[in-house]
Amino acid sequence: MQWLNQETVTEHLNMQAAIDTIEALLRRQAAHPSWIKSPERLVIETFSDELFSNSSTHSSGTHLSMPATIYDGQQEYTAVKLVTICPDNPGRNLPTTTAIITVSDNATGEVLAVMDGIYITQVRTAALSGIATKYMAPDDCQRVAVVGCGGMAYEQLNAVLTVRPEIKTVYLWNRSHEGAESFKNRFAHDYQQWNVELIVCEQLEDAIKDADIINVATRAKSGLFSVDQIKPNVHINAVGAYQALMKEISNDVIAASYMIVVDDLVGSHHEAGDLIQAHNATDCTWTWDELNGDLQALVTGKTTPSSKEQATKAEQTITLFKSVGAASFDAAVAVHITELAQQKNLGIALY
């Protein structure tokens, strides 16, 4: 059993490999549905009980347990990710999301690897946005807006630039100006392969008004922008709002979207707060029946047309990808890293 720390995982996992690995998983799952098993993840709210309602030490967070099995035609693996989301951690100079992943050989039950899951979580979440952008975003995109400059935003932008290298300008907005400036400096230092201009915007509307792609990763409780503030053919990647009471995409944006795709059909009905609230709102016309499908259907060309697509092409052709995460995506990337560790003798042998 190998221990793979964050440094080892980061060194040997790149965005293109993550995108290719997950896209291969989706195609394999479409061809052989029984080869991948990914039950709905267990979600436990932390510090949410009324006993802690007056706590000044901790904000409410979330703990998740995410198991999955993957058969690749020759060998079956089980990967289990344990995640804790701590909203107060940035103030402690710690990542908001902490995670660990185990990968086992199902033939023997042997644990092959235990690895830090923070970077894998960031990369696999971003890779999903990369895949969605590859298939859904307009051709020849030039400008991206990053809304919410937390830990997830770095790799999400990296993923979009990986599939749309023609992008020249990135607009940054964060609730705190310091957070956006910190993102700008770190991204420019750590991702020097992308020759893009990074512009910090004081106002959200200035960041999004000319964007061809908008990446959103926040813990917002209400929609952040309206449909009249964005371009009519913009593509949106929304990876925040991972609980039913969270919301970062406004109802009017959802209702105006020409195509909406989620990463996980089952999970989205319980966790995609943006879509759940739009469906339940009496003043919103969008319902789950308008959903075009999931990421698997997107990459295999089997999305279901909505009434908007069946009608004459409208002037408003917004596309929206909503991600809540699924264990199979983590498992695919973790198995990839485990196989690399076996081939290259990476990490530290624990026994």
Side-chain angles (χ1 to χ4, degrees):
M1 176 170 63
Q2 298 299 110
W3 162 244
L4 307 172
N5 62 17
Q6 188 173 9
E7 182 179 359
T8 301
V9 173
T10 302
E11 180 181 354
H12 292 90
L13 177 61
N14 64 69
M15 183 55 66
Q16 189 62 62
I19 289 172
D20 292 344
T21 296
I22 293 176
E23 193 162 351
L25 171 83
L26 294 168
R27 294 184 184 281
R28 187 186 312 137
Q29 192 171 26
H32 307 282
S34 64
W35 285 16
I36 291 91
K37 299 181 179 67
S38 180
E40 190 172 355
R41 61 190 181 184
L42 173 65
V43 180
I44 302 173
E45 293 185 16
T46 59
F47 291 99
S48 59
D49 191 273
E50 61 182 11
L51 291 174
F52 301 103
S53 61
N54 296 319
S55 173
S56 60
T57 306
H58 303 285
S59 298
S60 61
T62 312
H63 176 78
L64 305 95
S65 178
M66 303 172 64
T69 62
I70 291 180
Y71 178 61
D72 61 8
Q74 296 180 323
Q75 187 171 357
E76 186 181 76
Y77 301 92
T78 290
V80 180
K81 184 172 81 166
L82 300 176
V83 190
T84 303
I85 300 171
C86 301
D88 299 315
N89 271 2
R92 306 180 180 111
N93 200 28
L94 294 170
T96 301
T97 302
T98 62
I100 194 167
I101 303 174
T102 64
V103 176
S104 304
D105 180 349
N106 285 355
T108 63
E110 177 187 6
V111 178
L112 302 174
V114 180
M115 67 192 73
D116 182 273
I118 296 174
Y119 189 64
I120 287 178
T121 300
Q122 293 172 346
V123 170
R124 74 86 160 130
T125 302
L128 302 177
S129 291
I131 293 169
T133 300
K134 174 182 173 181
Y135 288 92
M136 298 175 73
D139 294 334
D140 193 29
C141 296
Q142 297 293 312
R143 296 168 293 271
V144 177
V146 174
V147 177
C149 296
M152 287 291 179
Y154 293 94
E155 290 302 328
Q156 191 182 21
L157 178 56
N158 184 27
V160 167
L161 295 175
T162 298
V163 300
R164 288 287 195 271
E166 68 273 15
I167 288 167
K168 302 300 182 185
T169 307
V170 178
Y171 301 104
L172 307 173
W173 180 85
N174 194 64
R175 288 191 184 278
S176 73
H177 179 83
E178 295 79 8
E181 287 289 351
S182 176
F183 181 101
K184 176 182 177 179
N185 294 334
R186 178 182 163 189
F187 195 90
H189 178 270
D190 292 350
Y191 301 81
Q192 295 182 31
Q193 69 268 34
W194 303 121
N195 184 26
V196 294
E197 182 182 11
L198 298 163
I199 301 172
V200 173
C201 297
E202 294 289 343
Q203 303 298 323
L204 173 58
E205 51 265 36
D206 293 331
I208 62 176
K209 64 182 180 180
D210 295 321
D212 302 302
I213 300 169
I214 302 175
N215 289 347
V216 192
T218 72
R219 288 172 55 84
K221 297 293 180 68
S222 60
L224 295 170
F225 50 85
S226 60
V227 70
D228 60 1
Q229 294 178 298
I230 57 179
K231 292 178 69 174
N233 63 337
V234 69
H235 172 68
I236 302 170
N237 295 308
V239 305
Y242 54 87
Q243 294 178 349
L245 297 179
M246 293 179 174
K247 187 173 181 65
E248 53 189 7
I249 308 302
S250 301
N251 285 351
D252 66 338
V253 174
I254 294 171
S257 293
Y258 182 68
M259 186 177 192
I260 299 178
V261 170
V262 298
D263 59 343
D264 179 58
L265 288 174
V266 175
S268 64
H269 279 73
H270 301 293
E271 299 173 13
D274 314 274
L275 302 183
I276 292 169
Q277 292 180 48
H279 172 85
N280 292 335
T282 56
D283 60 347
C284 181
T285 59
W286 188 87
T287 68
W288 285 109
D289 291 338
E290 288 288 298
L291 187 70
N292 299 93
D294 60 7
L295 211 55
Q296 180 192 120
L298 183 68
V299 302
T300 57
K302 296 181 180 178
T303 52
T304 303
S306 67
S307 58
K308 290 186 180 70
E309 286 186 288
Q310 291 168 336
T312 302
K313 188 173 182 180
E315 182 179 340
Q316 201 83 21
T317 56
I318 298 166
T319 57
L320 171 63
F321 171 64
K322 175 62 188 175
S323 174
V324 296
S328 58
F329 304 133
D330 297 285
V333 177
V335 168
H336 168 72
I337 292 297
T338 299
E339 292 174 341
L340 279 181
Q342 292 175 320
Q343 294 165 11
K344 299 183 178 183
N345 195 27
L346 304 178
I348 298 171
L350 297 182
Y351 64 77

